[in-house]
Amino acid sequence: MDMTPIKNNTDTDIAATMLDAIAQVPAQDDDTTLKEAWLLGFDTETTGTGSTDAIVSASLVLRDPTRGYEGDVVAERVINPHRHISAGASRVNGFTDEFLEANGAQPTDAIAAIGSIVSAAQTKHIPLLAYNAPFDVRMLAGDLKRWNLEALPDELLVVDPLVIDREISHRHGKRTLTYTTEYYGVEPHGDFHDATADTTAAVDLIRPMSTLYPQVGNLRLGDLMDWQRQAHKKWKDSFNLWMESRGRRPITDSWL
């Protein structure tokens, strides 16, 4: 399956092309290991980071573990959120209200297409991979609810390279996507804060993580969610001890 960018087609075409690619993926089950698994990378750019903010750009990358980047099927979409983009978000992602109004797809069509792709992948036991996954998952869930569209499955199978890296590397320094890809020797395909470049970089992390830390590659999909939940709790407890020692309020955010 050759890499197929489908960013300029209609939302119906985007969904049909990606859904057809997903339909051809071999069956995966709980015993499939992470290093052997097909993955559906996902990343968003948004109007901001609050609960009322919305997606303005989204990218999906279907990765064949045997072929890597050259075999990717890629879908991306710029979306008119019908709401103001904050100045801070605009500085980061480069989008403006005027650009999104002139060039963005209607959210009912675009968000519905993205939701259908994610749901179809879940039925094939293809994990949704996102760096700091709760943010992107909650943004998508929020947009689906806002536009009265079909919700995501109640129990998602997700891979979060940020959670995995915190558990295994025990390194110092920042853990942004940029710094993490540098640590694992991943060369980005494009500029960061472009949804597709970020998505591809996040998916690219799994191979070197699995090589450096074989326990990651050998994680079974059936154990993946519990492993990540425990890893996040372990990190949060440790981080909150550090916060409290400095008189700062502990974080209460949960993982998925």
Side-chain angles (χ1 to χ4, degrees):
M1 188 183 297
D2 294 329
M3 187 169 82
T4 309
I6 46 179
K7 61 182 179 179
N8 295 321
N9 295 356
T10 68
D11 295 298
T12 300
D13 291 338
I14 288 174
T17 302
M18 186 65 88
L19 290 171
D20 181 64
I22 290 169
Q24 297 178 50
V25 175
Q28 301 193 145
D29 57 29
D30 284 349
D31 289 328
T32 303
T33 62
L34 185 56
K35 65 185 178 184
E36 299 169 329
W38 284 69
L39 301 167
L40 181 67
F42 180 53
D43 186 69
T44 63
E45 299 295 337
T46 63
T47 60
T49 59
S51 59
T52 61
D53 282 295
I55 296 171
V56 300
S57 174
S59 174
L60 293 156
V61 173
L62 183 63
R63 171 66 57 88
D64 177 348
T66 66
R67 299 190 61 195
Y69 173 74
E70 296 303 322
D72 284 352
V73 180
V74 180
E76 63 180 57
R77 202 69 166 139
V78 174
I79 302 166
N80 179 0
H82 291 280
R83 62 190 57 224
H84 174 64
I85 185 169
S86 70
S90 183
R91 283 194 296 270
V92 170
N93 58 43
F95 291 111
T96 64
D97 291 336
E98 295 75 18
F99 178 87
L100 293 169
E101 184 175 354
N103 298 280
Q106 290 304 307
T108 49
D109 298 329
I111 298 298
I114 295 167
S116 69
I117 292 166
V118 172
S119 294
Q122 292 289 303
T123 65
K124 296 295 290 283
H125 223 50
I126 301 171
L128 184 70
L129 183 148
Y131 198 85
N132 189 23
F135 177 80
D136 297 290
V137 169
R138 288 166 186 164
M139 280 293 175
L140 177 56
D143 273 3
L144 289 167
K145 182 177 180 180
R146 180 176 297 117
W147 298 107
N148 296 312
L149 301 167
E150 185 173 350
L152 297 172
D154 290 336
E155 294 291 333
L156 288 175
L157 179 60
V158 174
V159 177
D160 190 337
L162 173 59
V163 170
I164 295 172
D165 177 56
R166 283 171 173 163
E167 174 64 15
I168 60 173
S169 70
H170 305 293
R171 62 189 174 87
H172 296 290
K174 297 179 180 179
R175 293 183 190 265
T176 63
L177 179 60
T178 302
Y179 281 94
T180 303
T181 53
E182 288 178 356
Y183 176 78
Y184 287 98
V186 170
E187 293 291 335
H189 299 277
D191 298 324
F192 286 113
H193 292 298
D194 166 86
T196 300
D198 284 1
T199 310
T200 303
V203 175
D204 283 343
L205 284 169
I206 298 304
R207 181 171 291 178
M209 281 181 168
S210 298
T211 300
L212 286 171
Y213 305 100
Q215 67 269 36
V216 172
N218 291 325
L219 273 171
R220 299 185 315 124
L221 297 187
D223 301 327
L224 187 59
M225 294 303 289
D226 283 344
W227 189 93
Q228 290 175 108
R229 288 180 182 124
Q230 292 171 16
H232 176 77
K233 183 180 184 304
K234 179 180 173 183
W235 167 81
K236 186 174 75 169
D237 290 346
S238 175
F239 183 73
N240 280 341
L241 285 175
W242 180 86
M243 293 283 278
E244 291 171 357
S245 72
R246 286 156 177 78
R248 298 166 68 180
R249 183 177 301 176
I251 62 172
T252 58
D253 293 347
S254 62
W255 196 69
L256 297 169

